[in-house]
Amino acid sequence: MDSSFDSFGLARPILRAIESRGYTTPTQIQVDTIPLILNGKDVLGCAQTGTGKTAAFALPAIQQLIANEDDKSHRLRVLVLAPTRELAVQINECFEAYSRHTNVRQTVIHGGVGSMPQIQRLRKGMDIVVATPGRLLDLLDQGHIHLDDVQLLVVDEADMMLDMGFIDDVSKVVNSAINRQQTLLFSATLPEEILSVADQWLNIPTTVNVVPDAIPIHLIKQSVVYVENINKDLMLIQYLFATPRARTLIFVRTKKDAERVAKNINLVNLDALPLHGNKSQGRRRKAIEAFKSNEAPILVATDVAARGLDFDNISHVINYSIPEYPEFYIHRVGRTGRAGAKGEAISLCASHERYHLQQIQALAGISLSVKQWNFDDFGNFPQLERAHQRRKKTRKPQEAIADPETLDRQEESEQSGWVKGKKKKKKKKKKRQSRVITMDDINSKAAHKKAAGKFAPKKRSLD
Ligand code: AMP
């Protein structure tokens, strides 16, 4: 197999763009998929983020557009659907980069921002549109976009569309692109439902599966720390302080967790930002940019908000909560250790999460080493001490609630989960008083017992 970009027969302007991106060798999914797409085949691609799958469909899509050089109408001929705004923007940026030496025009359409600028861009004529399904359907209903000329339709991250409940919207779009000649569907996993829609949408597809090679998570240093939910924030912060890290991505289960954990990390002057679906588009973009530029080297994200986003140089992935599905674990952990770099993934596992952790280990074929985290292991942290002192001096009354050193323990356990909430009634009557958290608090059996009862497994929530 001659695995060079030249061997695909891509046009010179595309090869120049590839060169300026610094790609020398095509990735596996590119080797497998680009020739199929150029040959007009429908493709069902099972590939995860980080495999180079965007280029795998974007490069042949641009090639097909410029192959017909006479067509200068800028009719919408390539439509790409993505589940989130961030992913849509990221994919559009790739199209922009790969088509920069051509006359191909592309734009991105997503919700969360005004539609007028998008409508105005569409009016100019766009060869390629990358869109999230909801806004696209709105514009379709309002007659601002027509899919009659779409020749190539790409559905990216199909399983995520399914998880987010978008599959009916996607179906409507797919059925509106009635004249399409080619359909590509990419999904990180291939559950029954995806195979079923693939059956309806694709025409005798070729299946390309690059999952095992794409994320060699067995090469990433992975471990588990058994710690109850109630103690996770404090343990995590101690760990973050003690560990030399580059970018750190922390995965949480809920939006509320993302907010609280980021807030608590910031209390000790480590820069963290939350990323979840309740944030406005602008704030999400800012969080991503701050993370990428290292302005905020810690990102606390939900699976849905972070899925598919392309971050380099992540040294540590921390599973603040254990994902309920092994695929999610693989997605999360696969964010580190990319391109041969060293990576470490640590999972914080409470009693009620042990079942999921066992399932992950069994299904992913891995065995996590167990780490013991005690305060002793972290030694003395003058930075932590200084940060707390600084905070104490400048804090406003309401900030005291999240201050680990001065918390009323009942409020603390209810509002931030820092430490256990023992002797609630007595404490309620007492005036707020200063109290230093001790190792006993963290390792107390009572706290563990309480947490085990309090945090029963809940229904799956994606974002
Ligand atoms: P994706 O899976 O499309 O999100 O791509 C993951 C990352 O790999 C992105 O940063 C791409 O720019 C990069 N990439 C894609 N193809 C190649 C390649 N052939 N060589 C090196 N990097 C690549």
Side-chain angles (χ1 to χ4, degrees):
M1 175 189 64
D2 174 10
S3 56
S4 72
F5 283 106
D6 287 336
S7 67
F8 299 135
L10 296 168
R12 190 66 216 139
I14 300 177
L15 291 173
R16 271 176 65 204
I18 293 171
E19 221 173 280
S20 46
R21 291 281 281 197
Y23 307 166
T24 49
T25 321
T27 64
Q28 191 57 50
I29 188 149
Q30 291 162 3
V31 171
D32 293 347
T33 312
I34 291 174
L36 290 171
I37 301 177
L38 290 173
N39 275 331
K41 297 261 188 255
D42 281 9
V43 173
L44 173 60
C46 183
Q48 317 202 8
T49 186
T51 55
K53 74 176 152 69
T54 314
F57 62 76
L59 298 174
I62 297 166
Q63 171 71 29
Q64 286 174 343
L65 287 174
I66 62 174
N68 190 357
E69 288 202 64
D70 300 340
D71 193 342
K72 299 204 169 52
S73 60
H74 299 297
R75 291 169 297 123
L76 170 53
R77 284 167 293 159
V78 175
L79 176 64
V80 182
L81 295 178
T84 64
R85 306 159 198 179
E86 286 80 5
L87 265 174
V89 167
Q90 193 171 282
I91 295 168
N92 188 55
E93 281 168 2
C94 287
F95 270 106
E96 264 167 19
Y98 303 142
S99 65
R100 58 194 282 220
H101 303 299
T102 73
N103 293 322
V104 165
R105 289 189 198 158
Q106 65 279 306
T107 192
V108 61
I109 286 177
H110 55 71
V113 291
S115 53
M116 213 36 185
Q118 297 175 355
I119 294 167
Q120 281 163 353
R121 280 201 301 277
L122 285 172
R123 281 188 190 144
K124 286 185 191 158
M126 293 291 155
D127 303 280
I128 303 166
V129 166
V130 184
T132 53
R135 175 59 61 90
L136 182 72
L137 277 179
D138 287 349
L139 297 188
L140 201 58
D141 287 346
Q142 293 159 14
H144 295 299
I145 190 167
H146 305 280
L147 308 185
D148 301 346
D149 295 320
V150 169
Q151 292 164 8
L152 173 65
L153 175 67
V154 184
V155 180
D156 197 13
E157 301 278 359
D159 56 347
M160 195 167 163
M161 302 266 205
L162 188 77
D163 281 339
M164 293 172 83
F166 291 169
I167 217 74
D168 288 345
D169 282 356
V170 178
S171 249
K172 280 184 203 157
V173 175
V174 173
N175 293 331
S176 302
I178 41 169
N179 297 324
R180 70 186 190 277
Q181 286 149 24
Q182 208 175 357
T183 311
L184 316 174
L185 189 147
F186 291 90
S187 189
T189 57
L190 293 179
E192 207 42 57
E193 296 98 317
I194 294 297
L195 293 174
S196 156
V197 292
D199 206 38
Q200 294 165 42
W201 299 344
L202 305 179
N203 180 26
I204 321 174
T206 307
T207 303
V208 173
N209 191 332
V210 294
V211 175
D213 291 344
I215 301 191
I217 60 162
H218 55 280
L219 298 179
I220 295 163
K221 194 172 162 200
Q222 295 166 71
S223 55
V224 55
V225 177
Y226 291 108
V227 50
E228 297 308 336
N229 275 0
I230 211 161
N231 296 327
K232 281 183 179 177
D233 287 37
L234 194 51
M235 286 293 235
L236 173 68
I237 290 165
Q238 293 280 341
Y239 173 78
L240 293 174
F241 247 118
T243 313
R245 293 166 292 108
R247 255 167 251 164
T248 301
L249 189 52
I250 300 172
F251 283 99
V252 291
R253 203 177 64 84
T254 66
K255 298 165 187 166
K256 243 172 138 179
D257 285 344
E259 285 291 335
R260 191 202 62 249
V261 172
K263 187 175 164 194
N264 282 340
I265 293 171
N266 284 323
L267 278 182
V268 292
N269 291 352
L270 291 172
D271 293 312
L273 284 172
L275 183 75
H276 57 73
N278 270 7
K279 292 266 168 218
S280 68
Q281 167 67 9
R283 287 192 149 207
R284 284 157 75 167
R285 202 184 52 240
K286 274 190 187 148
I288 292 165
E289 280 165 10
F291 185 57
K292 282 185 170 174
S293 68
N294 256 359
E295 196 188 311
I298 303 172
L299 195 66
V300 186
T302 56
D303 288 289
V304 166
R307 174 96 170 256
L309 293 180
D310 183 28
F311 301 123
D312 291 332
N313 293 335
I314 290 180
S315 65
H316 286 70
V317 166
I318 296 178
N319 291 318
Y320 180 90
S321 59
I322 304 298
E324 291 177 32
Y325 293 85
E327 309 95 90
F328 279 40
Y329 179 87
I330 291 167
H331 271 288
R332 290 176 176 191
V333 169
R335 299 314 193 85
T336 185
R338 288 216 187 153
K342 277 192 181 153
E344 179 154 7
I346 299 175
S347 299
L348 307 186
C349 179
S351 321
H352 69 275
E353 295 173 310
R354 286 191 183 215
Y355 170 75
H356 292 309
L357 191 74
Q358 276 164 8
Q359 289 233 310
I360 287 165
Q361 296 193 75
L363 289 166
I366 46 167
S367 168
L368 303 184
S369 65
V370 178
K371 270 194 179 180
Q372 296 288 344
W373 276 2
N374 293 308
F375 275 123
D376 286 345
D377 293 342
F378 302 125
N380 230 348
F381 294 105
Q383 314 96 302
L384 184 58
E385 187 61 37
R386 278 200 301 276
H388 285 176
Q389 293 305 336
R390 264 203 309 277
R391 193 83 202 176
K392 267 163 83 179
K393 270 188 210 151
T394 57
R395 79 189 194 283
K396 295 172 200 137
Q398 67 268 33
E399 284 179 330
I401 286 171
D403 185 328
E405 282 200 338
T406 57
L407 281 177
D408 171 295
R409 296 172 77 202
Q410 185 223 336
E411 278 184 22
E412 189 179 34
S413 63
E414 281 171 4
Q415 302 221 14
S416 73
W418 277 96
V419 293
K420 63 183 179 175
K422 222 168 101 182
K423 296 182 186 169
K424 273 190 184 176
K425 281 179 192 161
K426 245 186 186 176
K427 288 279 170 191
K428 230 178 192 175
K429 283 178 202 154
K430 271 192 176 177
K431 265 176 110 183
R432 176 172 294 171
Q433 59 184 32
S434 238
R435 192 183 180 287
V436 176
I437 297 165
T438 67
M439 263 194 70
D440 288 347
D441 288 325
I442 301 305
N443 295 324
S444 135
K445 279 188 187 150
H448 288 196
K449 213 168 150 192
K450 183 168 188 295
K454 187 172 166 187
F455 298 95
K458 291 193 183 122
K459 270 186 127 185
R460 180 182 191 190
S461 158
L462 281 169
D463 192 12

